[in-house]
Amino acid sequence: MREHRLEVADVFHAHQQEFLERWGHVVSRQQRKVLGAIGRCRTAALGSHLERCDSCSYEYVAFDSCRDRHCPKCQSTARDRWLQKQASSLLPVPYSHVVFTLPKQLAALALRNQRLIYALLFRAVSETLMEIAADRHRLGARIGILAVLHTWNQQLQHHPHLHCLVPAGGLAPDQSRWIACRPRYFLPVPVLSCMFRGKMLAFLKHAYDNHQLRFPGTLAAFSKPGPFHAMLSTLRHQKWVVYAKAPFGGPEYVLKYLARYTHRVAIANGRLLDLNNGQVRFKWRDSRDNNRIKVVSLDAVEFIRRFLLHVLPCGFVKIRHFGLLANRNRRQALALCRHHLQAAAPQGTDLVTPQQQSAINRCCPKCKRGTLHVVVRFTTLVPATDDSHLAEINSS
């Protein structure tokens, strides 16, 4: 039997009550829901199901998953299915990775106005990229953007930023040709940073003037015009962090690259080391020290608090597409791009690994030929070897 490795759920089980006693008065309904879902994921509390192969009749009983998008255990198959679907949207060109980060002075305001400020972040970033790319002195083309919201850093602190993957080129304004960017250059970072800053501050001012921002607790002072506009003035003279990686890879590499960002949660179970005496130790990568892997120790209650900082508002879309990749015109735009590039559309099954494809197709682990189907669902845990309980449940 494999040794059980520490999971986020184990920390929740051991210290949830202690956390709620300390922080329960400020925990939102959505955060409580996520706390409970991750703690119950793949346990008897959520029930179980019997799966059967349609070829060799292999059977096994498995616990049900919570399917919460914040759960570290529920993202693997969801990611693989999403990647397979997105494979058909990849173009046979290099891609550029651009990251836009909100200044730390805005982190607390963003945390208390998540739905609004995260939406404004998407808007400011997408408009910045689209407008600068369309400038005939830069690229002079209409581009496509896939943007993914992350709200954490390696130590689980609140750090809102957008990862953008952009084909390194775009359609000419008259749609007559594909315009490629220079081999080692996409768009000028200083210009991106300056426009991003200007747009985000303008959007925040407009939101303030229309009484859309909330200023609870320690932010109460900024509800007055003087302190709020003073903060914006300070940020206006500050350099905003934008990172742009030189264009890289083709469709296969880009697909693997996408997997690193699209369905990540605040921390993966694989980074956890141990839980002893109320302290959680986990690995983190220090980007300021040549990406060296280090170990940090946090009080378990503080670990849970930091994890829940990254619970998104219910229904908030954290992966968005713009420009050529916007949902309303993606198919037609990509067809035109491939026409100019003289390339055929890739097949999703060609761009995922055999292991990913097997998980997507629910292949039988025994015969490798059949497909697993859920034939029975249990409301409580039923041992796989005990058939006497089958009369107590409903067949699917």
Side-chain angles (χ1 to χ4, degrees):
M1 182 179 293
R2 290 189 306 173
E3 180 182 357
H4 176 74
R5 296 190 60 180
L6 181 65
E7 299 177 350
V8 171
D10 297 323
V11 182
F12 285 8
H13 287 150
H15 296 278
Q16 175 176 324
Q17 191 57 43
E18 183 182 353
F19 167 79
L20 290 174
E21 289 174 358
R22 190 182 307 181
W23 293 104
H25 62 291
V26 293
V27 175
S28 70
R29 180 180 178 183
Q30 181 68 5
Q31 288 172 326
R32 286 182 182 270
K33 180 181 177 181
V34 172
L35 184 63
I38 294 177
R40 295 191 300 270
C41 186
R42 299 185 191 178
T43 69
L46 290 183
S48 56
H49 59 271
L50 174 68
E51 295 191 12
R52 180 181 299 148
C53 173
D54 58 12
S55 178
C56 69
S57 298
Y58 166 77
E59 295 181 348
Y60 80 103
V61 172
F63 291 123
D64 290 342
S65 300
C66 69
R67 300 184 181 181
D68 191 284
R69 62 175 171 173
H70 303 92
C71 178
K73 288 189 289 190
C74 287
Q75 294 306 298
S76 177
T77 302
R79 176 202 62 206
D80 294 342
R81 289 192 178 118
W82 185 86
L83 288 176
Q84 183 184 44
K85 181 179 179 181
Q86 293 300 311
S88 61
S89 298
L90 294 177
L91 293 171
V93 298
Y95 277 67
S96 188
H97 180 195
V98 191
V99 184
F100 294 79
T101 303
L102 277 184
K104 61 182 180 180
Q105 293 95 324
L106 291 176
L109 185 65
L111 189 60
R112 289 159 179 80
N113 297 269
Q114 290 179 308
R115 191 177 296 276
L116 173 63
I117 292 186
Y118 293 163
L120 293 180
L121 177 60
F122 273 108
R123 182 183 171 190
V125 167
S126 60
E127 289 186 7
T128 294
L129 285 169
M130 297 281 289
E131 289 180 21
I132 293 178
D135 186 344
R136 61 187 180 88
H137 298 294
R138 308 296 179 185
L139 183 62
R142 182 168 178 250
I143 61 173
I145 306 165
L146 173 115
V148 185
L149 173 67
H150 284 185
T151 62
W152 58 84
N153 62 13
Q154 285 280 303
Q155 297 190 58
L156 298 185
Q157 294 165 324
H158 191 235
H159 181 67
H161 57 285
L162 277 192
H163 290 271
C164 299
L165 281 167
V166 189
L171 285 177
D174 61 1
Q175 301 189 350
S176 62
R177 62 192 175 96
W178 174 265
I179 301 176
C181 71
R182 282 179 274 174
R184 300 292 299 169
Y185 177 84
F186 178 53
L187 291 173
V189 169
V191 178
L192 290 172
S193 175
C194 185
M195 183 176 286
F196 168 52
R197 177 185 62 196
K199 285 185 174 293
M200 195 66 201
L201 292 178
F203 294 158
L204 287 173
K205 182 179 182 302
H206 182 269
Y208 180 84
D209 292 342
N210 286 273
H211 309 288
Q212 294 174 301
L213 293 171
R214 297 187 304 111
F215 300 92
T218 57
L219 293 175
F222 293 104
S223 63
K224 299 178 181 178
F228 181 80
H229 289 102
M231 177 183 67
L232 295 189
S233 178
T234 300
L235 291 171
R236 191 169 289 111
H237 295 89
Q238 180 177 314
K239 182 179 179 181
W240 287 35
V241 177
V242 175
Y243 164 84
K245 184 175 181 178
F248 61 92
E252 294 85 355
Y253 183 81
V254 169
L255 196 68
K256 296 177 182 178
Y257 199 83
L258 276 171
R260 304 179 193 174
Y261 297 98
T262 53
H263 286 69
R264 284 179 63 183
V265 293
I267 187 169
N269 287 326
R271 286 175 54 195
L272 301 182
L273 297 175
D274 53 54
L275 172 62
N276 291 311
N277 301 317
Q279 296 291 312
V280 182
R281 291 196 316 132
F282 61 90
K283 295 179 290 186
W284 69 288
R285 177 176 49 81
D286 190 350
S287 59
R288 296 184 179 180
D289 190 12
N290 297 315
N291 288 325
R292 288 181 59 189
I293 302 299
K294 301 181 179 181
V295 175
V296 64
S297 179
L298 285 182
D299 174 77
V301 171
E302 174 62 12
F303 175 88
I304 297 174
R305 186 192 73 83
R306 290 193 187 184
F307 186 96
L308 294 181
L309 289 178
H310 312 296
V311 172
L312 295 175
C314 182
F316 187 86
V317 180
K318 72 170 187 175
I319 304 174
R320 303 189 185 189
H321 303 81
F322 303 92
L324 299 177
L325 299 179
N327 293 329
R328 66 180 177 273
N329 62 354
R330 183 188 310 175
R331 181 178 299 179
Q332 297 86 344
L334 290 177
L336 185 57
C337 291
R338 292 194 182 97
H339 170 73
H340 293 312
L341 292 166
Q342 298 182 344
Q347 298 298 316
T349 53
D350 296 336
L351 297 177
V352 295
T353 66
Q355 293 80 4
Q356 289 173 322
Q357 192 62 51
S358 178
I360 293 169
N361 294 338
R362 304 294 298 139
C363 292
C364 175
K366 184 177 181 180
C367 71
K368 311 296 183 183
R369 299 186 307 273
T371 302
L372 294 173
H373 299 278
V374 176
V375 293
V376 176
R377 290 197 178 276
F378 309 100
T379 55
T380 57
L381 174 63
V382 178
T385 57
D386 187 353
D387 293 334
S388 64
H389 294 275
L390 294 180
E392 301 175 10
I393 45 77
N394 295 318
S395 297
S396 61

